[in-house]
Structure formats: structure tokens, C-alpha cells
Amino acid sequence: MATCLITGGAGFLGSHLCDELLRRGHRVICVDNLETGSLVNIEHIRVPEFAHLNVDITEPFFVDEPVDVVYHLASPASPIDYLRLPLHTLKVGSYGTHHTLGLAKLHRARFLLASTSEVYGDPKEHPQREDYWGHVNSVGPRGVYDEAKRYAEALTMAYHRQQGVDTSIIRIFNTYGPRMRAHDGRAIPTFLRQALADRPITVFGDGRQTRSFCFVDDLIAGMIALAESGEHLPVNVGNPDEFTLLELAETVVEVTGSRSEIVHEALPTDDPQQRRPDITRAKELLGWQPRIGLRDGLQRTIDEAGAETLLGLNR
Ligand code: NAD
């Protein structure tokens, strides 16, 4: 049994990671100040192997028991959040990552940084491999998130190279599943909410921009496999099946049996045109690949989350 500390453990991905690590027999310390997460995501966990510390990681923090693995997920993640919290997003990526890496160093723990496909910006290479350096607008509104993550990656490599910390970096591509917030502004929760209410589904631009969507269980399996490997350089984890936003909207209508029509809205600033991971490294290094397709994942999201939650009625 290992003791795993998860920053951002009360968020969407973090809470699924808590569940899976506990299921595998580990102890879990969830560090989360509930800035964008919620106790609702962890209230079902009632075992002595689990603890929640309500701590803001932009301030130094300590844990007075041995820690074996640190999963660093804390950060606003959806555009709605980081556009509302630009300075906080930069602080979590910088100070928060410093403090969390410092804690991993103190405990001689394995460290995993939750980075993002946004480090590739609006990519000029397709699909995106880990050795592509990206095309990011540092001064645009999304720059606060993209650059915070790029800085956090640089910091992680510096702690590894200069301080000998055993680090890893996962570049997460769009992930969905139960516990997404109905109003977090990302495509899948928005489309599901609109479809279940038989309201118009709002697709940005002409809807021909592409994304790849990974079901949360697949993502968490890849994340744990990376943390348990000895790899230090970034690894893409996501589902390489690529869909246009229009195809996604049509699939959501089909799976929900909705009567919604599809309407178009203006594209947000710096919205990437294409997104698809090259997962060769994850396959070779971790023996990992996603197993759950879009239709199946959407159905599981509806079944597990329930229509009321997806409609945003009970939060
Ligand atoms: P989320 O907003 O649901 O979770 C983030 C958690 O971090 C929240 O519980 C929040 O309260 C916590 N947090 C924020 N600031 C904090 C602070 N100062 N101190 C302590 N806790 C703090 O987001 P998510 O979708 O679960 O994303 C988790 C991580 O994965 C993020 O780092 C995000 O950048 C990354 N990621 C997610 C996706 C995705 O599709 N969900 C894609 C790429 C990367």
C-alpha cells in the first residue's frame, strides 16, 4: 500500500483518481481548497484510508506523514474558470507547483504533473506528438492557463534535473465523464445539458474544428500507469479518435434521443482548430490505450451522473 497525495482531489479528475487509488488498496490524502471542485465529488468516500485537507497550495503546505506518490492536479481547468480566475491560475501553476514539488522532494516521493494538450496551443502539427513545441498566444485570454502549464512543465523538469526529484508529466487531452459540472462551459457537459432539456445545441463557429474525447476511466488508468512507470519526459494521454464539434453534437443528440436542433455561435478567441493526441509513447512506455469509445462513454456518463446532475439541477 502506498500513500498518495492528490492536489485537486475534489475536482472532476481528482475525485475519480481518489476512487481508483483507494479501490487499488492505497491510502489517499486529498489536498483541495474547493476553488473549482466540490465536496459533493468526495462525500461518498467514507473510509479511514482517505483524508481531505482544505488547503490552498499557493501557500506553502506540509503533511506530517510519509508520502510515496504526489499527483499534482490542482488548477482551474475549464475556460470559464481560468478566464474568471486569471491570476489564481498563474499562481497555482507557479507557486502551487513549486510548493507541491518541494513537498515531493522532502518526502522523496514520485511526482506527477497534470499538464494539458493546451501546451500545444493552436497546433501547426497534426496529430500532436510530445516533441512538438507548440503554438501558443502568450498574451491572449487563454495564455494564463497555457503558459501556467508550460511553466509548470519547465519547473518540473528543473526539479528533476537539478534536485533529483523523480518526476513525470502527463499531457491530458479533453476528458469527460460523470462529475463534470453542467455549467463548466466545455463542449460535452454543455451539449448534454442542452440535449437533455431539448434546447438548441450551441456549436461554436461552423463546427468543423476537431477534438478528441477520452472517457475518464481510461484517462485515470493512463495517469496511474505513468505515475507507476519510471518515465520523466511528457506523455500524451487521450483518445486519438477525432471528431468535429458538429459530429459530437449529432452524437449527443442521437445518444440522448433529443429533439434539439443545432445552432451556431461565434468562435472564442484562440480556439484551436484541431486536436488529436499521438499516443505512440503511451502505448510503448505504459502499454496503455483507451478502451471506451465516444457513444459508450456518453451513455455511461448519462447513466452514472443522472439527468438531474447533467441538467445542473442538484448542485
Ligand atoms: P477541476 O476544476 O474539476 O479540478 C481542479 C481542482 O483543483 C478543484 O477541485 C479545485 O478546487 C482545486 N484547486 C484549484 N486551485 C487550488 C488551490 N490553490 N489549492 C488547492 N486546490 C485547488 O478540473 P479537472 O478537469 O478535474 O482538471 C484537473 C487537472 O487536469 C487540472 O490540472 C487540469 O489542468 C488538467 N486537465 C484536465 C483536462 C480535462 O479534460 N478535464 C484536460 C487537460 C488537463
Side-chain angles (χ1 to χ4, degrees):
M1 180 184 92
T3 297
C4 305
L5 182 144
I6 307 175
T7 73
F12 163 46
L13 297 182
S15 62
H16 284 279
L17 181 62
C18 290
D19 284 341
E20 182 56 17
L21 290 170
L22 287 166
R23 197 187 66 76
R24 295 186 188 199
H26 300 302
R27 173 163 166 70
V28 171
I29 304 170
C30 160
V31 175
D32 198 306
N33 71 345
L34 309 176
E35 181 73 56
T36 58
S38 167
L39 285 179
V40 174
N41 291 334
I42 50 172
E43 69 186 358
H44 61 283
I45 309 178
R46 289 158 194 255
V47 289
E49 293 75 31
F50 178 77
H52 169 226
L53 307 179
N54 191 329
V55 162
D56 177 354
I57 63 156
T58 62
E59 302 293 331
F61 67 104
F62 301 93
V63 173
D64 58 5
E65 64 174 295
V67 173
D68 304 297
V69 189
V70 174
Y71 290 88
H72 178 36
L73 274 67
S75 169
S78 86
I80 275 192
D81 291 328
Y82 60 71
L83 296 176
R84 178 176 61 88
L85 299 165
L87 289 174
H88 179 78
T89 303
L90 285 161
K91 276 191 196 163
V92 182
S94 53
Y95 298 118
T97 305
H98 262 294
H99 298 146
T100 312
L101 274 159
L103 184 132
K105 183 184 169 200
L106 205 67
H107 288 263
R108 297 180 195 280
R110 171 82 165 158
F111 174 90
L112 176 138
L113 171 70
S115 184
T116 168
S117 56
E118 302 292 340
V119 299
Y120 301 121
D122 187 4
K124 300 296 164 213
E125 281 186 20
H126 193 72
Q128 291 81 56
R129 284 162 39 120
E130 289 88 345
D131 56 8
Y132 174 56
W133 292 351
H135 181 248
V136 170
N137 176 6
S138 60
V139 295
R142 303 170 73 109
V144 295
Y145 181 66
D146 303 359
E147 297 296 359
K149 290 291 182 180
R150 288 167 68 93
Y151 175 87
E153 287 197 2
L155 192 64
T156 300
M157 290 312 295
Y159 266 81
H160 171 60
R161 294 190 177 114
Q162 193 194 317
Q163 310 273 317
V165 180
D166 181 10
T167 60
S168 56
I169 298 173
I170 178 173
R171 289 192 181 144
I172 303 171
F173 283 66
N174 285 358
T175 301
Y176 68 99
R179 299 187 201 149
M180 288 175 311
R181 284 171 296 147
H183 292 275
D184 91 351
R186 289 185 265 199
I188 288 190
T190 305
F191 290 0
L192 281 173
R193 175 169 50 80
Q194 293 168 331
L196 289 168
D198 285 327
R199 294 187 171 238
I201 296 192
T202 48
V203 170
F204 292 143
D206 61 11
R208 279 189 288 179
Q209 66 276 35
T210 67
R211 295 291 184 276
S212 309
F213 303 100
C214 187
F215 188 65
V216 63
D217 290 7
D218 279 334
L219 188 280
I220 296 299
M223 185 182 282
I224 296 174
L226 176 58
E228 291 180 351
S229 77
E231 182 57 31
H232 301 301
L233 290 171
V235 180
N236 289 338
V237 175
N239 192 318
D241 293 344
E242 190 176 357
F243 297 88
T244 67
L245 265 285
L246 215 46
E247 285 168 337
L248 172 69
E250 286 161 2
T251 310
V252 167
V253 168
E254 206 182 296
V255 172
T256 52
S258 169
R259 293 192 304 271
S260 297
E261 55 169 345
I262 295 171
V263 298
H264 295 268
E265 282 191 351
L267 265 185
T269 314
D270 298 332
D271 196 46
Q273 274 308 300
Q274 287 184 312
R275 242 337 135 54
R276 175 176 153 212
D278 180 321
I279 58 164
T280 309
R281 271 171 61 72
K283 279 186 184 160
E284 286 175 4
L285 292 168
L286 314 175
W288 177 89
Q289 61 180 357
R291 296 199 297 207
I292 300 158
L294 183 62
R295 272 191 179 67
D296 191 13
L298 286 173
Q299 192 60 58
R300 284 173 66 163
T301 304
I302 296 165
D303 294 345
E304 286 175 40
E308 281 202 351
T309 303
L310 293 170
L311 284 163
L313 298 178
N314 53 4
R315 289 207 178 189

